[in-house]
Amino acid sequence: MGFLTFGFLGLLTAAFVTETPMFVFFTAAYPFLYLGNLFVRHKRLASAQPWPVNEKIVLITGASSGIGQSLAHVFAKRGATLILCARREDMLSSVANECRELNSSVKVLTVKCDVTDESDVARLVETIETTYGRLDCLALNAGVSMGEDFAELKDYSVIKKVMDVNYYGCTNVTYKALPLLKKNKKSRILVTNSISGILALPSRSGYAAAKFAVRGFFDSLQAELWKDEIFITLAYPGPVKTEINKNRLGDDPKQLDFTNAITSEECAQELVEGVLRGDKEVIFTRNGKLGRLMEGVFPDLTAYLVDRNARKHLNK
Ligand SMILES: NC(=O)c1ccc[n+]([C@@H]2O[C@H](COP(=O)([O-])OP(=O)(O)OC[C@H]3O[C@@H](n4cnc5c(N)ncnc54)[C@H](OP(=O)(O)O)[C@@H]3O)[C@@H](O)[C@H]2O)c1
Ligand SMILES: *[C@@H]1O[C@H](CO)[C@@H](O)[C@H](O)[C@H]1NC(C)=O
Ligand SMILES: *[C@@H]1O[C@H](CO)[C@@H](O)[C@H](O)[C@H]1NC(C)=O
């Protein structure tokens, strides 16, 4: 207790020395703001219940590999009815079979769909409408990354393609699926964002842009959809062992170092728990949580640490 008081007084003194009134206020008010946040969070999570997942219809985009494939597994184990979409049909059918093996009474539908293709997206949503007439959870997971510094980019179209899949892919599907999501109370939208949607890492300018865009879009949409009781969960994973390196766009992109990466099953497990609770966000890794806290208060130090750390973790 003495240590805590000492630490707190130390922080306050430091805050006064910096002479920035907002910072002083923030430091002094921190415990109260923290409690206020807990209270609002509690209210949100309480109103998100009940949501019995085994009665729910869940659409997962980018379900043919990686995190999407694992999301399908986790939802299947819990008995949700699944619609899986991606471009590679053969991989989708094997994922569907894996789901049926995990729970033999689970219903799984696969739909070939490129999320950047307007007619594909329209057909996907029509299929769900005619088959089930509603949708309870939209998991927006399809994504691609890049791995080159902007000045060294030979193929500029990478910037546009990354935005098409990661940003427009999400907004297009959401636009068409919203009427179906509104047919039931307490529907969910899960977005697989990334730590790159919080801290802008080097060699991923277009990816960071798309992930920041996604964050802004869905925070705004959440504000609009309170009245419909739709709960949006933004997930910010750190490194996850998937095919994302193999699928990286561009000429000879730098690869993400997977040494400290978690498995896609571990990631998906946390995402589904977040969705069931109705979390506003699920942030992974110590750096993600700390970075989120620090970016607003210590922007220069945070940018310096992010750059130094990221360069260490990008392999040629
Ligand atoms: N791995 C990581 O370290 C990490 C960290 C943070 C966030 N994320 C995010 O996690 C999400 C999933 O990535 P992953 O790591 O699981 O990589 P992945 O194994 O490459 O999976 C990407 C999935 O997206 C699908 N996809 C790509 N373009 C598509 C399109 N135009 N239309 C429809 N589906 C498309 C792919 O299927 P098809 O090729 O068959 O279409 C595949 O199923 C992405 O949004 C990524 O940004 C990954
Ligand atoms: C398997 O799926 C069914 C159908 O949705 C569900 O009722 C059941 O609870 C699931 N099994 C497990 C072990 O969750
Ligand atoms: C969907 O996204 C693509 C870009 O990826 C865009 O060209 C198209 O016009 C978008 N709109 C709709 C309604 O699908």
Side-chain angles (χ1 to χ4, degrees), residues 169-239:
C170 290
T171 58
N172 283 3
V173 177
T174 306
Y175 186 67
K176 297 233 160 60
L178 259 184
L180 290 182
L181 283 166
K182 285 185 179 176
K183 291 208 173 163
N184 213 345
K185 286 278 176 222
K186 304 184 198 293
S187 292
R188 309 301 211 233
I189 298 176
L190 166 68
V191 191
T192 314
N193 203 311
S194 161
I195 201 165
S196 299
I198 296 178
L199 303 168
L201 311 176
S203 300
R204 260 164 283 169
S205 50
Y207 185 69
K211 293 298 194 185
F212 269 72
V214 159
R215 175 179 170 186
F217 178 88
F218 284 97
D219 276 347
S220 171
L221 190 68
Q222 176 67 90
E224 294 173 16
L225 293 181
W226 274 129
K227 60 178 190 324
D228 301 291
E229 284 189 73
I230 292 179
F231 295 84
I232 301 180
T233 302
L234 280 161
Y236 299 93

Side-chain angles (χ1 to χ4, degrees), residues 263-276:
T263 66
S264 57
E265 295 285 336
E266 284 171 305
C267 178
Q269 189 67 44
E270 286 207 40
L271 297 193
V272 173
E273 277 162 22
V275 168
L276 297 192

